[in-house]
């Protein structure tokens, strides 16, 4: 029995070490090799997109249901045109990129990337462009309800494009959740 425990512990250690080495290799090959482009995308973020109020950040977190890094990963994979496999490979890529974003980027930088590059409605990338198109005002002048609309839209733009009433319900839901927290 002890022999089996020792062998299984050693095997588990080898598997975990192999996974860690694969993650490090993926980091170097996929993330770090694209770091200059990520930094350029970050540099394109407007002052409004970099200086979100804590209230707006809270609305974004609520909207993303704790999956903000996955949404950011999806945005970066699209923006950087990273080739990804389908099915489980796509999910593994999202998880890996979410972890890499947490590892290498500050919370402020992750929010700025998400807000400046996220796909919104037709032809608009980023919250600033959507704020101008939808509300005719800069991001810094949006009300909580207007920002909640953008936060809801960022999570699933295609779903809300065909159903504006659903967007309004989600906005109201975000505002009520934010008031409770």
């Amino acid at each position: 029995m002890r022999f089996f425990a020792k062998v299984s512990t050693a095997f588990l250690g080898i598997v975990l070490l192999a996974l860690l080495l694969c993650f490090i290799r993926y980091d170097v090959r996929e993330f770090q090799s694209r770091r200059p482009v990520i930094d350029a995308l970050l540099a394109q973020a407007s002052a409004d997109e970099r200086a979100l109020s804590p209230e707006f950040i809270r609305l974004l977190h609520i909207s993303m249901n704790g999956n903000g890094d996955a949404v950011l990963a999806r945005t970066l994979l699209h923006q950087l045109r990273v080739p990804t496999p389908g099915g489980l490979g796509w999910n593994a890529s999202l998880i890996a990129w979410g972890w890499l974003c947490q590892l290498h980027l500050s919370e402020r930088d992750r929010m700025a990337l998400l807000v400046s590059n996220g796909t919104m409605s037709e032809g608009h990338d980023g919250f600033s462009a959507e704020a101008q198109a939808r509300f005719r005002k800069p991001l810094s002048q949006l009300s909580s309800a207007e920002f909640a609309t953008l936060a809801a839209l960022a999570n699933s733009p295609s779903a809300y494009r065909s159903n504006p009433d659903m967007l309004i319900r989600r906005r109201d839901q975000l505002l009520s959740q934010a008031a409770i927290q």
Side-chain angles (χ1 to χ4, degrees):
M1 194 68 151
R2 284 187 195 185
F3 176 74
F4 179 74
K6 287 181 181 181
V7 169
S8 61
T9 302
F11 179 74
L12 182 61
I14 290 169
V15 168
L16 290 175
L17 182 61
L19 287 173
L20 178 62
L21 291 173
C22 287
F23 182 75
I24 291 169
R25 181 175 182 264
Y26 191 81
D27 180 12
V28 171
R29 274 187 81 180
E30 299 297 330
F31 192 89
Q32 295 302 328
S33 67
R34 291 178 171 88
R35 188 59 195 252
V37 180
I38 294 169
D39 290 341
L41 288 172
L42 191 54
Q44 292 174 1
S46 71
D48 285 352
E49 292 165 335
R50 289 182 150 281
L52 296 174
S53 73
E55 176 187 10
F56 287 178
I57 290 173
R58 191 172 69 251
L59 281 168
L60 264 177
H61 281 294
I62 293 168
S63 172
M64 303 297 168
N65 296 320
N67 295 321
D69 290 321
V71 175
L72 174 59
R74 185 180 68 210
T75 299
L76 285 177
L77 289 170
H78 173 74
Q79 288 284 336
L80 300 171
R81 293 178 177 79
V82 175
T84 54
L88 288 176
W90 168 250
N91 290 329
S93 295
L94 281 179
I95 291 168
W97 274 80
W99 287 347
L100 291 168
C101 288
Q102 283 184 356
L103 183 65
H104 295 295
L105 302 169
S106 70
E107 172 77 10
R108 182 175 291 283
D109 287 348
R110 291 194 315 267
M111 285 293 122
L113 279 169
L114 181 62
V115 169
S116 65
N117 293 288
T119 301
M120 301 299 274
S121 63
E122 294 177 35
H124 302 124
D125 277 343
F127 279 44
S128 291
E130 187 66 29
Q132 283 295 335
R134 189 173 290 266
F135 304 114
R136 307 272 185 252
K137 50 175 115 166
L139 194 58
S140 62
Q141 294 178 7
L142 294 182
S143 68
S144 294
E146 291 165 336
F147 191 86
T149 301
L150 297 185
L153 188 63
N155 203 28
S156 186
S158 59
Y160 296 123
R161 190 175 302 130
S162 60
N163 193 344
D165 291 337
M166 191 167 81
L167 177 62
I168 292 168
R169 284 193 304 275
R170 180 63 178 145
R171 177 205 62 200
D172 293 344
Q173 184 182 40
L174 289 175
L175 290 170
S176 67
Q177 284 177 308
I180 293 170
Q181 292 182 353

